[in-house]
Amino acid sequence: MPRTSDKRERLITAAKTLFHEQGLAQTTLADIAATARVALGNVYYYFKTKDDIASAVIAERAAEVRDVLDSCDCASCPRECVVSVLKKMRGRAAEYVDKGCPVGALCQELGRSDSPLTDQAYGLVRAQIDWLTDKFGAMGRRDARDLAVQLVSEMQGVSLTARAIGDARLLRRQLDRLIEWVETL
Amino acid sequence: MPRTSDKRERLITAAKTLFHEQGLAQTTLADIAATARVALGNVYYYFKTKDDIASAVIAERAAEVRDVLDSCDCASCPRECVVSVLKKMRGRAAEYVDKGCPVGALCQELGRSDSPLTDQAYGLVRAQIDWLTDKFGAMGRRDARDLAVQLVSEMQGVSLTARAIGDARLLRRQLDRLIEWVETL
DNA sequence: GTCTATATGTTGATAGAC
DNA sequence: GTCTATCAACATATAGAC
């Protein structure tokens, strides 16, 4: 009997994937438990409610967002930092067209209920905006925040339209345009 | 006893509002029936399944999209047509921040299930892209489709980010930027 | 066409043995 | 900590009287 089990982590991982692929409302606790190979009744030892699982998943996504931004953060050139983010998304174009943006999906689904989860989900978007605002500011732009909002909006938007058309090349082309835009800013 | 009742229409109207405000999955047939003041059991006289209601709602949204685009369609100046669409959205900025974009919400929620509803929802986005492609083409742009995708993406994206920040002024400012962009295109 | 009553299935959550 | 069994609530959908 291990003093520490990885079941909690397995549950979060399973929930994260399922929420992304099927949405929060469509994913049942039975789904999560089965995917994580945990008995249904045992889920409640780790999480008091379904919302608690959702909260943990959003926290995980927040950590992922931080990791991505951190990995793109080079102290020398803020412009390169921004381009790095776009290139990273470009590398996952197929995934974005296939399953959509995990952050955008969470925001859209939780944007309606005004539970604490709503603000937590929107925090994922605000974190990106804040980071980009910092970079555009370092580039000497007075309108740094507006530019940050614009770029995050475009990233979210092109993900949706590319999905609607079902064309990953379209998404890559739009991201190339954004990269070019940032480089000539 | 009227030969024709408006119950079907009332049900669609109620469902349209509720889907927008709470989402499809969170809205029950009981909700719809109560809002439309129709007995629950009577709903099934008008719609065979819940998906049938959803389909009818999306069709209504499609008609709305067509109406908006038609009302912005002046044969003389394609640039003015595009600007009109943006101004119309600008006039509803508060509504977009409060409840989100109805089209974007439907796409996001139905984007995962690959029922016939998915393609129907994405058709709302494609209709906008096609209309804008036509206008940008009439403006002599070779990259008309890419511009159309870009603009629809931005409209969808700024709606989400403005919601995340909870600021209607931000949305208006971003739309002003887009209007300016189209005018100098 | 309209209603009440109910079948049928699913879900989040709990009880309690081990 | 883990499991099986199950509850209570709610959802979609149907049956059948009027």
Side-chain angles (χ1 to χ4, degrees):
Chain A
M1 48 175 74
R3 201 153 35 125
T4 68
S5 153
D6 64 340
K7 286 193 177 178
R8 189 189 154 87
E9 199 184 350
R10 289 216 309 270
L11 285 166
I12 294 176
T13 302
K16 191 172 64 174
T17 303
L18 289 169
F19 287 170
H20 187 193
E21 289 175 348
Q22 325 177 340
L24 230 138
Q26 282 71 32
T27 300
T28 69
L29 292 174
D31 284 339
I32 298 170
T35 303
R37 283 162 300 130
V38 172
L40 177 56
N42 199 6
V43 172
Y44 289 89
Y45 174 78
Y46 294 98
F47 300 98
K48 208 170 152 54
T49 66
K50 186 182 180 183
D51 274 9
D52 281 353
I53 301 182
S55 183
V57 167
I58 301 173
E60 273 265 315
R61 290 289 183 199
E64 286 177 11
V65 168
R66 276 194 304 272
D67 286 348
V68 168
L69 295 179
D70 281 350
S71 75
C72 294
D73 217 317
C74 62
S76 51
C77 179
R79 193 192 315 275
E80 258 323 299
C81 301
V82 177
V83 170
S84 288
V85 172
L86 289 166
K87 283 184 177 168
K88 215 148 235 170
M89 179 172 174
R90 194 189 189 284
R92 293 192 176 186
E95 185 185 340
Y96 271 77
V97 168
D98 186 38
K99 304 205 284 182
C101 172
V103 169
L106 283 172
C107 288
Q108 194 76 42
E109 187 156 11
L110 291 169
R112 288 179 281 247
S113 56
D114 63 347
S115 62
L117 293 178
T118 307
D119 198 62
Q120 199 185 352
Y122 281 144
L124 301 174
V125 171
R126 291 195 299 267
Q128 295 177 327
I129 292 175
D130 291 343
W131 188 88
L132 287 170
T133 300
D134 190 50
K135 297 306 167 198
F136 284 127
M139 286 165 61
R141 301 288 309 208
R142 285 268 185 76
D143 54 348
R145 186 170 174 78
D146 279 347
L147 289 174
V149 169
Q150 177 181 349
L151 188 50
V152 172
S153 299
E154 296 221 46
M155 287 191 287
Q156 284 296 324
V158 293
S159 175
L160 183 91
T161 49
R163 271 200 108 196
I165 297 176
D167 187 348
R169 283 174 313 160
L170 182 81
L171 178 54
R172 290 194 200 95
R173 203 159 65 239
Q174 291 285 331
L175 288 171
D176 286 338
R177 170 182 62 79
L178 288 173
I179 290 170
E180 205 173 330
W181 172 69
V182 171
E183 277 171 346
T184 63
L185 208 63
Chain B
M1 55 176 73
R3 201 154 34 126
T4 68
S5 154
D6 64 340
K7 287 193 176 178
R8 190 189 154 87
E9 198 182 353
R10 289 216 308 271
L11 286 168
I12 294 176
T13 302
K16 191 172 63 174
T17 303
L18 290 169
F19 287 169
H20 188 192
E21 290 176 348
Q22 324 178 337
L24 231 140
Q26 283 71 31
T27 301
T28 68
L29 292 174
D31 285 339
I32 298 170
T35 303
R37 285 163 298 129
V38 173
L40 176 58
N42 198 6
V43 171
Y44 290 90
Y45 175 78
Y46 294 98
F47 300 97
K48 208 169 152 52
T49 66
K50 188 182 179 183
D51 274 9
D52 280 354
I53 301 182
S55 184
V57 167
I58 300 173
E60 274 265 314
R61 290 288 182 199
E64 286 177 12
V65 168
R66 275 194 303 272
D67 286 348
V68 168
L69 295 178
D70 282 350
S71 75
C72 294
D73 218 316
C74 63
S76 51
C77 179
R79 193 190 315 275
E80 258 322 300
C81 301
V82 177
V83 171
S84 289
V85 172
L86 289 166
K87 283 184 177 167
K88 216 148 235 169
M89 180 171 173
R90 194 188 189 285
R92 295 192 174 185
E95 185 186 340
Y96 271 77
V97 169
D98 186 38
K99 304 205 285 182
C101 171
V103 169
L106 283 171
C107 288
Q108 195 75 43
E109 187 157 10
L110 292 168
R112 289 179 278 247
S113 56
D114 63 345
S115 62
L117 293 178
T118 306
D119 199 62
Q120 200 186 351
Y122 280 141
L124 300 174
V125 171
R126 290 195 300 266
Q128 295 177 326
I129 291 175
D130 290 345
W131 188 88
L132 286 171
T133 300
D134 191 50
K135 297 307 167 198
F136 285 127
M139 286 165 62
R141 301 289 308 210
R142 283 271 184 74
D143 53 348
R145 186 168 174 78
D146 280 346
L147 289 174
V149 169
Q150 176 181 350
L151 188 51
V152 172
S153 299
E154 296 222 43
M155 288 192 286
Q156 285 296 325
V158 292
S159 175
L160 183 90
T161 50
R163 275 199 104 196
I165 297 176
D167 187 349
R169 284 174 313 160
L170 181 82
L171 178 54
R172 291 194 199 95
R173 203 159 64 239
Q174 290 285 333
L175 289 169
D176 287 339
R177 170 181 63 78
L178 287 173
I179 290 169
E180 206 174 329
W181 172 69
V182 171
E183 277 170 347
T184 62
L185 209 63

